[in-house]
Amino acid sequence: MAGPRVVIIGAGVVGAALADEISARGWTEVTVVDQGPVPATGGSSSHAPGLVFQTNPSKTMTHLARYTVDKLSSLDVDGTPCFLQVGGLEVATGPERLAELRRRHGWITAWGVEARLLDPDECVARHPLLDRDRVLGGLLVPTDGLARAVLAVEAQLRRARARGVRVLDRHEVLDLRIADGEITGVRTDHGDLGADIVVCCAGIWGPRIARMAGMNLPLTPLAHQLAWTGPVPALAGRTEEAVHPILRHQDADLYYRDRFDRLGIGFYGHRPMPVSADDILPVDEAGGMPSVLAFTEEDFAPAWTETRALLPATREAKVEEGVNGLFSFTTDNFPLLGESLDVKGFWVAEAVWVTHSAGVGRAMAEWLVDGHCSSFDLHECDVNRFEPHQLAPEYVLTRDCRNFVEVYDILHPLQPSGDPRPLRTSPFHVRQREHGAFFLEANGWERPHWYESNARLLEGRSIPRPNDWAARHWSPVVGAEAQATRETVALYDMTALKRLEVSGPGAAPLLERLCTGRVAKSTGSVTYTLLLDHDGGIRGDITVARLGRDLFQVGVNGNLDLDWITRHLPADGTAQVRDITPGTCCVGLWGPLARDVLQPLTDDDFSDAGLKYFRARRTHVGSVPVTAMRLSYVGELGWELYTTADLGLRLWDTLWRAAEPLGGVLAGRGAFNSLRLEKGYRAFGTDMTFEHDPYEAGLGFAVRTDKDDFIGKAALERRRTAVRRRLTCLTVDDPRSVVMGKEPVYDGDRPVGHVTSAGYGYTVGTGIAYAWLPAELAVPGTALHIGYFGRRVDAVVAEEPLFDPAMSRLRG
């Protein structure tokens, strides 16, 4: 036996995949427990229809699905394959969906999976049951197919057992054993199992198990309808289980799979049917599969009507059976993966469908054995990503039900989130509403994207209009606000950016250990630096301001940065970290006249010599105490001004009274994003993630290789000389062709990369798209193309930054 003692709770497709993957890496002191009979344990895996569509707007989710396809295609049980690679076909019955399929083709191409757009005749040739007159076109992914979930469980557990893994079925988990904040075992109805690590793969029962460790999982089991027809005459005589591609008709929330001479019909168009994990019966009490509820024919009626219209051959058949099967939904449609912050050794791998199961098994095995995941970027999936309000039961239920309703909807990248809103508002919210702010939500914060009161700025300006898709949730005022920022001065609400306070005598050593730059400098210093994982990948880009000998303010990207810092706090208690965002606020005061606004409001010297670039001081603006940091994400002279939430409105009003007579404006996130693209400033989670290193991302300047050891330094030294890809600036001349992100980039007919951030540069007069490209193509002047809704957009690699490369505006 090797490795720590591991107990995996749940023997569905996720638990089985993890047992296989982790034992293949040498950890064999592993026990899998499940309350049901293996391999059909009674959870979601036991009734899953098995359709595996790899296309997803998330690169990570597509790659998890691709690994699942590759692995399950190689597995069989006594000669019966675990995967039927019949292909996946999505069809459009309306022009908007047809355009969406072209966008989806861009995603799947960008993520490196083969796909083809089909005309109506080609769709019918692939799936003869389709009504040719209803179909406008389709998207075919040849490697999609059907996973036989129960067989996949059996095949992977057989491999794990052969390496020494124990599988204990009909063992119900009653509790977890925890001592001094660490997992020590699992209590079952057949006795206790000692454990150093417990991984919860319990699916729809996950919230119940996680609660035993004091962990709140934002997961809701929801019923989803699956019906089977009787014999379909057009399929009569079939001897193979499935020959047609799995089919999605997303305009009507439907999907289909054939099974010999019958058809399976899945439907998401019915009302949400949430179920509490606490109300799902144990296997022995359910009298059948606890994950299957009674079929409600009245909910399925619209699906059957539409099916007979799209697939006329089904008019000669009947619906013979159906279930309302439970599946897990989350508030952002991503899985829940990772370790509890409060109980060391308790991990979860939850809200994972069959489509991504084997990929998640591999990702979790790498994370557990190696300390990080090397095959997949998991920042979107980390269970510790959520803000406290996102764990509230009302929020979870509302958002999970909404995601069920929208599962097949065409969603714009700026799609406004639904209820509950508003949740988090800055102290300036009342003034923003008075100025006609158009709000979009991020992490619960209401953030202005532009102000209707600035429509007056459009006079005398020519603001190019983007294409119809990019023009949704957009206004020409965005461009006017961007230009006005560079002409005069603007106030930006930066409250939504997360702020931490790190304090104590151990704070400086802690931050030096975590950061790639030197941060333990003089009081008043501000440092742009990076957090790295042990493999040298970027976990976040942050700013660290030293406000006192033992006091630092750290600007981070989100809760994962707080989680990372918290996990590395010294055991002796000499350093503490706390989230100060809710009790504070921030105004970005930026533009060539920023000093003219600020200096008369304070007795301190805000000249260039008085407060240099990337320096901070505590001062007063009018009657408001503030922490002023001279830095700017838009590339202009100015300051981030922080104060407590109770004084925020006073600060805003004080600044606005001084800025308005100088021609100052209020500006929103639309202008902010345009200006930061012009300046080439990166956004973590969009431009770079865990999978990228600083040298690839153009952030090598933030790494001090001459400083003492920091996390990731050794790995980074190995990666420094092996840069094969680069984050690269592309320009697009035609403003109507400005893209929005996640589109494929082509060198001739060869897909070579994908776009990250994109928009129009209103003060440089060009479209901007940042993209990951092979290093040999990241050369200024290289002509490329971007795929956008099925057409090619001309783009050229540009030297960056496009605006003020000499940094004279910032240092004025």
mmCIF file of all heavy atoms in Angstrom, residues 414 438-442 445-451 478 481-482 491-497 590 633-634 666-676 683 762:
data_model
loop_
_atom_site.group_PDB
_atom_site.id
_atom_site.type_symbol
_atom_site.label_atom_id
_atom_site.label_comp_id
_atom_site.label_asym_id
_atom_site.label_seq_id
_atom_site.Cartn_x
_atom_site.Cartn_y
_atom_site.Cartn_z
ATOM 1 N N LEU A 414 -22.460 39.687 -21.653
ATOM 2 C CA LEU A 414 -22.842 40.676 -20.645
ATOM 3 C C LEU A 414 -24.271 40.477 -20.159
ATOM 4 O O LEU A 414 -24.869 41.389 -19.589
ATOM 5 C CB LEU A 414 -22.689 42.095 -21.213
ATOM 6 C CG LEU A 414 -21.274 42.529 -21.585
ATOM 7 C CD1 LEU A 414 -21.285 43.934 -22.180
ATOM 8 C CD2 LEU A 414 -20.335 42.470 -20.389
ATOM 9 N N PHE A 438 -26.410 52.723 -16.113
ATOM 10 C CA PHE A 438 -26.865 51.413 -16.575
ATOM 11 C C PHE A 438 -26.011 50.388 -15.837
ATOM 12 O O PHE A 438 -24.798 50.317 -16.020
ATOM 13 C CB PHE A 438 -26.674 51.272 -18.082
ATOM 14 C CG PHE A 438 -27.017 49.900 -18.600
ATOM 15 C CD1 PHE A 438 -28.334 49.541 -18.849
ATOM 16 C CD2 PHE A 438 -26.027 48.948 -18.822
ATOM 17 C CE1 PHE A 438 -28.654 48.270 -19.321
ATOM 18 C CE2 PHE A 438 -26.338 47.687 -19.291
ATOM 19 C CZ PHE A 438 -27.659 47.343 -19.536
ATOM 20 N N PHE A 439 -26.661 49.598 -14.976
ATOM 21 C CA PHE A 439 -25.938 48.693 -14.092
ATOM 22 C C PHE A 439 -25.901 47.271 -14.641
ATOM 23 O O PHE A 439 -26.891 46.757 -15.157
ATOM 24 C CB PHE A 439 -26.603 48.639 -12.710
ATOM 25 C CG PHE A 439 -26.505 49.899 -11.919
ATOM 26 C CD1 PHE A 439 -27.579 50.787 -11.870
ATOM 27 C CD2 PHE A 439 -25.360 50.209 -11.205
ATOM 28 C CE1 PHE A 439 -27.506 51.949 -11.127
ATOM 29 C CE2 PHE A 439 -25.272 51.377 -10.462
ATOM 30 C CZ PHE A 439 -26.347 52.251 -10.415
ATOM 31 N N LEU A 440 -24.751 46.639 -14.497
ATOM 32 C CA LEU A 440 -24.617 45.198 -14.632
ATOM 33 C C LEU A 440 -23.995 44.674 -13.343
ATOM 34 O O LEU A 440 -23.329 45.421 -12.611
ATOM 35 C CB LEU A 440 -23.756 44.824 -15.838
ATOM 36 C CG LEU A 440 -24.359 45.153 -17.207
ATOM 37 C CD1 LEU A 440 -23.373 44.839 -18.324
ATOM 38 C CD2 LEU A 440 -25.660 44.397 -17.435
ATOM 39 N N GLU A 441 -24.218 43.404 -13.070
ATOM 40 C CA GLU A 441 -23.805 42.840 -11.789
ATOM 41 C C GLU A 441 -22.562 41.963 -11.939
ATOM 42 O O GLU A 441 -22.401 41.258 -12.935
ATOM 43 C CB GLU A 441 -24.959 42.016 -11.206
ATOM 44 C CG GLU A 441 -24.679 41.420 -9.846
ATOM 45 C CD GLU A 441 -24.414 39.922 -9.877
ATOM 46 O OE1 GLU A 441 -24.297 39.351 -10.985
ATOM 47 O OE2 GLU A 441 -24.300 39.337 -8.800
ATOM 48 N N ALA A 442 -21.674 42.029 -10.955
ATOM 49 C CA ALA A 442 -20.500 41.156 -10.891
ATOM 50 C C ALA A 442 -20.217 40.831 -9.430
ATOM 51 O O ALA A 442 -20.053 41.753 -8.616
ATOM 52 C CB ALA A 442 -19.288 41.814 -11.537
ATOM 53 N N TRP A 445 -22.101 42.789 -6.954
ATOM 54 C CA TRP A 445 -21.994 44.248 -6.979
ATOM 55 C C TRP A 445 -22.737 44.830 -8.179
ATOM 56 O O TRP A 445 -22.610 44.327 -9.303
ATOM 57 C CB TRP A 445 -20.528 44.683 -7.064
ATOM 58 C CG TRP A 445 -19.735 44.471 -5.816
ATOM 59 C CD1 TRP A 445 -18.847 43.459 -5.560
ATOM 60 C CD2 TRP A 445 -19.741 45.287 -4.640
ATOM 61 N NE1 TRP A 445 -18.311 43.594 -4.310
ATOM 62 C CE2 TRP A 445 -18.847 44.712 -3.722
ATOM 63 C CE3 TRP A 445 -20.429 46.448 -4.286
ATOM 64 C CZ2 TRP A 445 -18.615 45.264 -2.465
ATOM 65 C CZ3 TRP A 445 -20.201 46.998 -3.022
ATOM 66 C CH2 TRP A 445 -19.302 46.403 -2.133
ATOM 67 N N GLU A 446 -23.453 45.896 -7.938
ATOM 68 C CA GLU A 446 -24.055 46.668 -9.020
ATOM 69 C C GLU A 446 -22.998 47.655 -9.530
ATOM 70 O O GLU A 446 -22.536 48.529 -8.787
ATOM 71 C CB GLU A 446 -25.279 47.418 -8.518
ATOM 72 C CG GLU A 446 -26.410 46.517 -8.055
ATOM 73 C CD GLU A 446 -27.042 45.735 -9.197
ATOM 74 O OE1 GLU A 446 -27.130 46.295 -10.314
ATOM 75 O OE2 GLU A 446 -27.440 44.571 -8.974
ATOM 76 N N ARG A 447 -22.610 47.497 -10.798
ATOM 77 C CA ARG A 447 -21.539 48.324 -11.347
ATOM 78 C C ARG A 447 -22.046 49.096 -12.563
ATOM 79 O O ARG A 447 -22.561 48.502 -13.521
ATOM 80 C CB ARG A 447 -20.338 47.454 -11.747
ATOM 81 C CG ARG A 447 -19.776 46.645 -10.604
ATOM 82 C CD ARG A 447 -18.405 46.096 -10.913
ATOM 83 N NE ARG A 447 -18.401 45.264 -12.106
ATOM 84 C CZ ARG A 447 -17.323 44.608 -12.555
ATOM 85 N NH1 ARG A 447 -16.182 44.699 -11.912
ATOM 86 N NH2 ARG A 447 -17.397 43.879 -13.649
ATOM 87 N N PRO A 448 -21.905 50.424 -12.559
ATOM 88 C CA PRO A 448 -22.325 51.208 -13.720
ATOM 89 C C PRO A 448 -21.460 50.884 -14.937
ATOM 90 O O PRO A 448 -20.228 50.837 -14.833
ATOM 91 C CB PRO A 448 -22.101 52.655 -13.277
ATOM 92 C CG PRO A 448 -21.968 52.609 -11.795
ATOM 93 C CD PRO A 448 -21.401 51.268 -11.471
ATOM 94 N N HIS A 449 -22.090 50.653 -16.077
ATOM 95 C CA HIS A 449 -21.327 50.469 -17.316
ATOM 96 C C HIS A 449 -21.287 51.744 -18.139
ATOM 97 O O HIS A 449 -20.389 51.923 -18.951
ATOM 98 C CB HIS A 449 -21.874 49.286 -18.109
ATOM 99 C CG HIS A 449 -21.254 47.992 -17.678
ATOM 100 N ND1 HIS A 449 -20.464 47.225 -18.491
ATOM 101 C CD2 HIS A 449 -21.275 47.360 -16.486
ATOM 102 C CE1 HIS A 449 -20.032 46.168 -17.833
ATOM 103 N NE2 HIS A 449 -20.516 46.226 -16.614
ATOM 104 N N TRP A 450 -22.257 52.602 -17.963
ATOM 105 C CA TRP A 450 -22.206 53.960 -18.497
ATOM 106 C C TRP A 450 -23.305 54.774 -17.805
ATOM 107 O O TRP A 450 -24.131 54.217 -17.067
ATOM 108 C CB TRP A 450 -22.385 54.002 -20.023
ATOM 109 C CG TRP A 450 -23.760 53.646 -20.504
ATOM 110 C CD1 TRP A 450 -24.851 54.469 -20.586
ATOM 111 C CD2 TRP A 450 -24.204 52.358 -20.961
ATOM 112 N NE1 TRP A 450 -25.943 53.777 -21.075
ATOM 113 C CE2 TRP A 450 -25.566 52.488 -21.316
ATOM 114 C CE3 TRP A 450 -23.585 51.124 -21.120
ATOM 115 C CZ2 TRP A 450 -26.315 51.418 -21.798
ATOM 116 C CZ3 TRP A 450 -24.331 50.063 -21.601
ATOM 117 C CH2 TRP A 450 -25.673 50.214 -21.941
ATOM 118 N N TYR A 451 -23.280 56.074 -18.037
ATOM 119 C CA TYR A 451 -24.240 56.991 -17.421
ATOM 120 C C TYR A 451 -25.008 57.718 -18.518
ATOM 121 O O TYR A 451 -24.408 58.370 -19.374
ATOM 122 C CB TYR A 451 -23.528 58.016 -16.540
ATOM 123 C CG TYR A 451 -22.836 57.430 -15.330
ATOM 124 C CD1 TYR A 451 -21.531 56.952 -15.406
ATOM 125 C CD2 TYR A 451 -23.486 57.371 -14.098
ATOM 126 C CE1 TYR A 451 -20.892 56.430 -14.299
ATOM 127 C CE2 TYR A 451 -22.860 56.846 -12.975
ATOM 128 C CZ TYR A 451 -21.557 56.372 -13.081
ATOM 129 O OH TYR A 451 -20.929 55.853 -11.976
ATOM 130 N N VAL A 478 -20.412 54.971 -23.877
ATOM 131 C CA VAL A 478 -19.190 54.299 -23.424
ATOM 132 C C VAL A 478 -17.967 54.936 -24.067
ATOM 133 O O VAL A 478 -16.963 55.241 -23.400
ATOM 134 C CB VAL A 478 -19.254 52.786 -23.744
ATOM 135 C CG1 VAL A 478 -17.882 52.131 -23.573
ATOM 136 C CG2 VAL A 478 -20.296 52.097 -22.858
ATOM 137 N N GLU A 481 -17.337 58.502 -22.765
ATOM 138 C CA GLU A 481 -16.740 58.509 -21.426
ATOM 139 C C GLU A 481 -15.255 58.159 -21.477
ATOM 140 O O GLU A 481 -14.444 58.748 -20.740
ATOM 141 C CB GLU A 481 -17.480 57.533 -20.514
ATOM 142 C CG GLU A 481 -18.893 57.974 -20.162
ATOM 143 C CD GLU A 481 -19.662 56.966 -19.338
ATOM 144 O OE1 GLU A 481 -19.117 55.865 -19.072
ATOM 145 O OE2 GLU A 481 -20.806 57.266 -18.949
ATOM 146 N N ALA A 482 -14.895 57.225 -22.347
ATOM 147 C CA ALA A 482 -13.476 56.864 -22.482
ATOM 148 C C ALA A 482 -12.670 58.063 -22.991
ATOM 149 O O ALA A 482 -11.593 58.381 -22.456
ATOM 150 C CB ALA A 482 -13.329 55.672 -23.421
ATOM 151 N N LEU A 491 -14.459 60.183 -12.678
ATOM 152 C CA LEU A 491 -14.618 59.415 -11.444
ATOM 153 C C LEU A 491 -15.126 58.028 -11.799
ATOM 154 O O LEU A 491 -16.134 57.878 -12.505
ATOM 155 C CB LEU A 491 -15.625 60.085 -10.507
ATOM 156 C CG LEU A 491 -15.125 61.156 -9.536
ATOM 157 C CD1 LEU A 491 -14.615 62.373 -10.298
ATOM 158 C CD2 LEU A 491 -16.252 61.551 -8.570
ATOM 159 N N TYR A 492 -14.426 57.015 -11.294
ATOM 160 C CA TYR A 492 -14.799 55.621 -11.493
ATOM 161 C C TYR A 492 -15.063 54.973 -10.139
ATOM 162 O O TYR A 492 -14.296 55.160 -9.187
ATOM 163 C CB TYR A 492 -13.680 54.846 -12.190
ATOM 164 C CG TYR A 492 -13.494 55.162 -13.653
ATOM 165 C CD1 TYR A 492 -12.750 56.265 -14.061
ATOM 166 C CD2 TYR A 492 -14.059 54.350 -14.635
ATOM 167 C CE1 TYR A 492 -12.564 56.555 -15.404
ATOM 168 C CE2 TYR A 492 -13.873 54.629 -15.987
ATOM 169 C CZ TYR A 492 -13.132 55.739 -16.356
ATOM 170 O OH TYR A 492 -12.953 56.023 -17.696
ATOM 171 N N ASP A 493 -16.121 54.203 -10.072
ATOM 172 C CA ASP A 493 -16.433 53.448 -8.854
ATOM 173 C C ASP A 493 -15.644 52.138 -8.887
ATOM 174 O O ASP A 493 -15.943 51.243 -9.682
ATOM 175 C CB ASP A 493 -17.934 53.169 -8.787
ATOM 176 C CG ASP A 493 -18.343 52.407 -7.527
ATOM 177 O OD1 ASP A 493 -17.463 52.058 -6.715
ATOM 178 O OD2 ASP A 493 -19.553 52.150 -7.366
ATOM 179 N N MET A 494 -14.651 52.012 -8.022
ATOM 180 C CA MET A 494 -13.801 50.818 -7.985
ATOM 181 C C MET A 494 -14.074 49.970 -6.741
ATOM 182 O O MET A 494 -13.273 49.099 -6.386
ATOM 183 C CB MET A 494 -12.336 51.241 -8.009
ATOM 184 C CG MET A 494 -11.952 52.112 -9.203
ATOM 185 S SD MET A 494 -12.285 51.322 -10.795
ATOM 186 C CE MET A 494 -11.088 50.004 -10.762
ATOM 187 N N THR A 495 -15.208 50.216 -6.105
ATOM 188 C CA THR A 495 -15.521 49.534 -4.849
ATOM 189 C C THR A 495 -15.588 48.026 -5.002
ATOM 190 O O THR A 495 -15.241 47.282 -4.075
ATOM 191 C CB THR A 495 -16.859 50.064 -4.302
ATOM 192 O OG1 THR A 495 -16.745 51.477 -4.121
ATOM 193 C CG2 THR A 495 -17.222 49.415 -2.982
ATOM 194 N N ALA A 496 -15.998 47.546 -6.156
ATOM 195 C CA ALA A 496 -16.194 46.101 -6.341
ATOM 196 C C ALA A 496 -14.895 45.318 -6.337
ATOM 197 O O ALA A 496 -14.920 44.086 -6.184
ATOM 198 C CB ALA A 496 -16.949 45.847 -7.645
ATOM 199 N N LEU A 497 -13.759 45.968 -6.508
ATOM 200 C CA LEU A 497 -12.481 45.252 -6.491
ATOM 201 C C LEU A 497 -12.147 44.852 -5.052
ATOM 202 O O LEU A 497 -12.129 45.686 -4.154
ATOM 203 C CB LEU A 497 -11.368 46.117 -7.077
ATOM 204 C CG LEU A 497 -11.576 46.531 -8.538
ATOM 205 C CD1 LEU A 497 -10.351 47.271 -9.056
ATOM 206 C CD2 LEU A 497 -11.865 45.310 -9.415
ATOM 207 N N TRP A 590 -9.121 59.712 -12.301
ATOM 208 C CA TRP A 590 -8.116 59.571 -13.338
ATOM 209 C C TRP A 590 -8.358 60.543 -14.486
ATOM 210 O O TRP A 590 -9.498 60.804 -14.859
ATOM 211 C CB TRP A 590 -8.113 58.140 -13.883
ATOM 212 C CG TRP A 590 -7.699 57.101 -12.877
ATOM 213 C CD1 TRP A 590 -6.613 57.151 -12.055
ATOM 214 C CD2 TRP A 590 -8.362 55.866 -12.602
ATOM 215 N NE1 TRP A 590 -6.560 56.014 -11.272
ATOM 216 C CE2 TRP A 590 -7.618 55.204 -11.589
ATOM 217 C CE3 TRP A 590 -9.500 55.254 -13.101
ATOM 218 C CZ2 TRP A 590 -7.980 53.967 -11.076
ATOM 219 C CZ3 TRP A 590 -9.869 54.009 -12.607
ATOM 220 C CH2 TRP A 590 -9.111 53.382 -11.604
ATOM 221 N N TYR A 633 -5.429 51.984 -13.586
ATOM 222 C CA TYR A 633 -5.667 50.855 -14.495
ATOM 223 C C TYR A 633 -6.114 51.343 -15.863
ATOM 224 O O TYR A 633 -6.363 50.536 -16.752
ATOM 225 C CB TYR A 633 -6.729 49.945 -13.875
ATOM 226 C CG TYR A 633 -6.679 48.510 -14.300
ATOM 227 C CD1 TYR A 633 -5.489 47.786 -14.297
ATOM 228 C CD2 TYR A 633 -7.832 47.841 -14.678
ATOM 229 C CE1 TYR A 633 -5.448 46.449 -14.661
ATOM 230 C CE2 TYR A 633 -7.813 46.501 -15.051
ATOM 231 C CZ TYR A 633 -6.613 45.815 -15.038
ATOM 232 O OH TYR A 633 -6.579 44.492 -15.410
ATOM 233 N N VAL A 634 -6.233 52.667 -16.047
ATOM 234 C CA VAL A 634 -6.662 53.187 -17.352
ATOM 235 C C VAL A 634 -5.533 53.935 -18.062
ATOM 236 O O VAL A 634 -5.725 54.436 -19.165
ATOM 237 C CB VAL A 634 -7.894 54.112 -17.215
ATOM 238 C CG1 VAL A 634 -9.057 53.371 -16.589
ATOM 239 C CG2 VAL A 634 -7.577 55.378 -16.446
ATOM 240 N N LEU A 666 -18.481 61.395 -14.854
ATOM 241 C CA LEU A 666 -18.577 60.073 -14.250
ATOM 242 C C LEU A 666 -18.408 59.063 -15.380
ATOM 243 O O LEU A 666 -18.928 59.271 -16.476
ATOM 244 C CB LEU A 666 -19.917 59.871 -13.558
ATOM 245 C CG LEU A 666 -20.353 60.939 -12.558
ATOM 246 C CD1 LEU A 666 -21.695 60.559 -11.937
ATOM 247 C CD2 LEU A 666 -19.298 61.143 -11.490
ATOM 248 N N ALA A 667 -17.708 57.980 -15.117
ATOM 249 C CA ALA A 667 -17.465 56.994 -16.181
ATOM 250 C C ALA A 667 -17.651 55.590 -15.631
ATOM 251 O O ALA A 667 -17.427 55.333 -14.441
ATOM 252 C CB ALA A 667 -16.064 57.167 -16.766
ATOM 253 N N GLY A 668 -18.061 54.676 -16.533
ATOM 254 C CA GLY A 668 -18.407 53.327 -16.111
ATOM 255 C C GLY A 668 -17.445 52.267 -16.594
ATOM 256 O O GLY A 668 -16.398 52.546 -17.190
ATOM 257 N N ARG A 669 -17.855 51.018 -16.380
ATOM 258 C CA ARG A 669 -16.985 49.887 -16.689
ATOM 259 C C ARG A 669 -16.729 49.741 -18.182
ATOM 260 O O ARG A 669 -15.685 49.224 -18.591
ATOM 261 C CB ARG A 669 -17.613 48.591 -16.163
ATOM 262 C CG ARG A 669 -17.737 48.515 -14.672
ATOM 263 C CD ARG A 669 -16.420 48.472 -13.953
ATOM 264 N NE ARG A 669 -15.648 47.275 -14.302
ATOM 265 C CZ ARG A 669 -14.485 46.956 -13.729
ATOM 266 N NH1 ARG A 669 -13.965 47.747 -12.806
ATOM 267 N NH2 ARG A 669 -13.845 45.873 -14.078
ATOM 268 N N GLY A 670 -17.660 50.174 -19.015
ATOM 269 C CA GLY A 670 -17.433 50.089 -20.447
ATOM 270 C C GLY A 670 -16.222 50.900 -20.862
ATOM 271 O O GLY A 670 -15.338 50.415 -21.591
ATOM 272 N N ALA A 671 -16.156 52.142 -20.408
ATOM 273 C CA ALA A 671 -14.995 52.987 -20.708
ATOM 274 C C ALA A 671 -13.740 52.417 -20.064
ATOM 275 O O ALA A 671 -12.658 52.403 -20.669
ATOM 276 C CB ALA A 671 -15.256 54.405 -20.210
ATOM 277 N N PHE A 672 -13.861 51.959 -18.836
ATOM 278 C CA PHE A 672 -12.730 51.389 -18.095
ATOM 279 C C PHE A 672 -12.096 50.239 -18.887
ATOM 280 O O PHE A 672 -10.870 50.180 -19.050
ATOM 281 C CB PHE A 672 -13.236 50.906 -16.743
ATOM 282 C CG PHE A 672 -12.205 50.260 -15.875
ATOM 283 C CD1 PHE A 672 -11.414 51.017 -15.024
ATOM 284 C CD2 PHE A 672 -12.031 48.881 -15.870
ATOM 285 C CE1 PHE A 672 -10.476 50.416 -14.200
ATOM 286 C CE2 PHE A 672 -11.101 48.272 -15.068
ATOM 287 C CZ PHE A 672 -10.318 49.047 -14.222
ATOM 288 N N ASN A 673 -12.923 49.335 -19.390
ATOM 289 C CA ASN A 673 -12.389 48.176 -20.119
ATOM 290 C C ASN A 673 -11.714 48.603 -21.413
ATOM 291 O O ASN A 673 -10.687 48.046 -21.804
ATOM 292 C CB ASN A 673 -13.508 47.173 -20.402
ATOM 293 C CG ASN A 673 -13.925 46.419 -19.161
ATOM 294 O OD1 ASN A 673 -13.129 46.185 -18.258
ATOM 295 N ND2 ASN A 673 -15.197 46.060 -19.092
ATOM 296 N N SER A 674 -12.286 49.580 -22.102
ATOM 297 C CA SER A 674 -11.667 50.067 -23.328
ATOM 298 C C SER A 674 -10.298 50.676 -23.045
ATOM 299 O O SER A 674 -9.317 50.404 -23.746
ATOM 300 C CB SER A 674 -12.585 51.110 -23.985
ATOM 301 O OG SER A 674 -11.948 51.738 -25.080
ATOM 302 N N LEU A 675 -10.208 51.488 -22.015
ATOM 303 C CA LEU A 675 -8.964 52.177 -21.695
ATOM 304 C C LEU A 675 -7.889 51.204 -21.226
ATOM 305 O O LEU A 675 -6.709 51.356 -21.565
ATOM 306 C CB LEU A 675 -9.224 53.243 -20.634
ATOM 307 C CG LEU A 675 -10.156 54.385 -21.061
ATOM 308 C CD1 LEU A 675 -10.469 55.289 -19.877
ATOM 309 C CD2 LEU A 675 -9.560 55.196 -22.204
ATOM 310 N N ARG A 676 -8.273 50.198 -20.459
ATOM 311 C CA ARG A 676 -7.253 49.254 -19.994
ATOM 312 C C ARG A 676 -6.741 48.383 -21.139
ATOM 313 O O ARG A 676 -5.578 47.993 -21.158
ATOM 314 C CB ARG A 676 -7.761 48.438 -18.817
ATOM 315 C CG ARG A 676 -8.814 47.374 -19.073
ATOM 316 C CD ARG A 676 -8.219 45.988 -19.128
ATOM 317 N NE ARG A 676 -9.227 44.973 -19.363
ATOM 318 C CZ ARG A 676 -8.947 43.753 -19.751
ATOM 319 N NH1 ARG A 676 -7.698 43.375 -19.958
ATOM 320 N NH2 ARG A 676 -9.909 42.878 -19.979
ATOM 321 N N ALA A 683 -6.242 41.187 -17.325
ATOM 322 C CA ALA A 683 -7.298 40.891 -16.355
ATOM 323 C C ALA A 683 -7.224 39.414 -16.015
ATOM 324 O O ALA A 683 -7.403 38.559 -16.888
ATOM 325 C CB ALA A 683 -8.676 41.230 -16.918
ATOM 326 N N TYR A 762 -11.373 53.547 -28.041
ATOM 327 C CA TYR A 762 -12.008 54.780 -28.521
ATOM 328 C C TYR A 762 -11.040 55.952 -28.614
ATOM 329 O O TYR A 762 -11.340 56.935 -29.284
ATOM 330 C CB TYR A 762 -13.175 55.144 -27.612
ATOM 331 C CG TYR A 762 -14.285 54.125 -27.658
ATOM 332 C CD1 TYR A 762 -14.433 53.190 -26.640
ATOM 333 C CD2 TYR A 762 -15.167 54.076 -28.737
ATOM 334 C CE1 TYR A 762 -15.440 52.236 -26.679
ATOM 335 C CE2 TYR A 762 -16.177 53.134 -28.782
ATOM 336 C CZ TYR A 762 -16.304 52.211 -27.759
ATOM 337 O OH TYR A 762 -17.293 51.269 -27.809
#
